[in-house]
Amino acid sequence: MAAEKNSDSPVLVTVKDGVGVVALNRPHRLNALNGRAIALLSATYAQLDADDEVKTIVLTGTGRAFCAGADLQREGGAFQAPPDRGEYRSSPPRPLAFQIRKPVIAAINGHAIGLGMTLAMHCDLRIVANEAKWGIVQVRRGVVPDAISHWTVTRAVGMAKAAEVLLTGRLFAGTEAVELGVASRSLPAPEVLPAALDMARDMARECSPMSMAMSKRILWASADGAMELIDDMESEAHRILMGRPDSLEGGSAALQKRAPQWRSQINQDWPQDGIFHAPEPS
């Protein structure tokens, strides 16, 4: 597994019942991200995507916060100039959560500030604690929102609401995340991770891995893709999946009212050419 196994690692990973749980683990810094944590999160995403035992992923934080953003202590409390314009990117980690093929659920168990919230916006689903404070505060720090948030937030909530989130830089209550459309559900903090795990286990058990992976790619492409592209992607997915073991099993299991026994494996069955093999942006 990508993350270090000892409890001092800034990223902890467990896999059970087809669900990979990734926990940001710097509670003494409210899980603020430093270079080591970002590198481990990047490696973890890549390895979970390559592990066919993992069907779904939950991203959360240890302690009372989800993630307080970038750890400014590593830079003496200030944002320094990047070392090389050509190599610098404001969107750690790589791959991003929406670039991997497994659904990723953000269990926002506590405060999610700055990079902490823009990181959560990479996930496919978000459940947030009522008590959490969240915000993309970078304009109040003398920089701009990062991690492709001008795209992820706008595609999630539309231009007017994205402007309120990104341009004011203010903090919002967890309950406002649902009102704005940033999250799908708001719950008391102790219920957030259990709810995310229940959803992840249900998806891992009841949904075909290949079907989820292809639907996820189509969903993210739909943000700025033309209708014709989405039609092509849906048609290609049907061409690949129809008549295969999972499509036959899904129908049989539904008729027989039993749990499906999926046979697809993403890393073995993923198409090696065509629309779905197109490389993601680096």
Side-chain angles (χ1 to χ4, degrees):
M1 186 55 60
E4 299 172 24
K5 294 182 179 181
N6 67 77
S7 60
D8 294 328
S9 171
V11 177
L12 302 176
V13 183
T14 58
V15 175
K16 184 179 180 181
D17 299 328
V19 179
V21 180
V22 181
L24 305 177
N25 185 46
R26 303 185 73 228
H28 60 292
R29 298 290 301 149
L30 298 180
N31 300 321
L33 295 170
N34 59 12
R36 180 177 172 222
I38 290 169
L40 278 172
L41 184 58
S42 298
T44 297
Y45 276 163
Q47 290 201 14
L48 291 176
D49 190 53
D51 185 353
D52 282 323
E53 291 187 15
V54 176
K55 315 300 186 201
T56 56
I57 298 167
V58 172
L59 176 67
T60 193
T62 60
R64 61 190 180 91
F66 176 76
C67 176
D71 191 345
L72 298 184
Q73 280 195 350
R74 63 177 175 160
E75 301 291 355
F79 292 100
Q80 303 296 323
D84 188 298
R85 175 183 291 180
E87 295 180 0
Y88 176 75
R89 289 292 181 271
S90 69
S91 52
R94 291 299 174 111
L96 306 174
F98 63 77
Q99 292 175 318
I100 65 177
R101 294 165 294 183
K102 319 293 176 69
V104 183
I105 302 168
I108 305 172
N109 54 298
H111 300 333
I113 311 298
L115 179 58
M117 192 63 199
T118 58
L119 187 74
M121 294 305 300
H122 295 165
C123 299
D124 305 294
L125 296 157
R126 285 168 293 279
I127 301 174
V128 62
N130 295 336
E131 303 90 334
K133 296 293 185 183
W134 65 270
I136 300 175
V137 299
Q138 283 84 333
V139 294
R140 299 190 180 212
R141 304 292 185 265
V143 288
V144 298
D146 50 26
I148 322 178
S149 54
H150 292 86
W151 181 74
T152 57
V153 178
T154 303
R155 77 184 296 278
V157 303
M159 179 68 77
K161 291 179 179 178
E164 182 177 358
V165 172
L166 299 174
L167 299 184
T168 70
R170 75 177 182 89
L171 295 180
F172 298 83
T175 51
E176 291 180 273
V178 177
E179 296 170 10
L180 288 167
V182 167
S184 59
R185 197 181 306 177
S186 175
L187 297 169
E191 298 178 20
V192 169
L193 182 57
L197 290 172
D198 284 347
M199 182 183 293
R201 292 189 194 106
D202 179 74
M203 293 166 68
R205 181 177 62 250
E206 300 293 337
C207 302
S208 160
M210 278 287 288
S211 296
M212 286 193 294
M214 289 193 163
S215 184
K216 173 172 176 169
R217 283 288 169 91
I218 297 168
L219 273 169
W220 283 92
S222 71
D224 54 358
M227 181 271 289
E228 291 81 3
L229 171 62
I230 305 309
D231 186 22
D232 286 346
M233 293 183 76
E234 289 181 352
S235 299
E236 180 69 0
H238 279 88
R239 187 192 69 78
I240 292 168
L241 298 174
M242 290 177 69
R244 299 290 295 275
D246 275 10
S247 66
L248 301 175
E249 170 63 9
S252 296
L255 287 172
Q256 297 169 21
K257 298 182 179 180
R258 59 173 175 80
Q261 301 296 314
W262 304 118
R263 292 173 56 186
S264 66
Q265 298 186 50
I266 291 175
N267 289 281
Q268 173 181 301
D269 299 330
W270 195 255
Q272 296 304 304
D273 55 21
I275 294 174
F276 288 95
H277 190 61
E280 293 289 344
S282 61

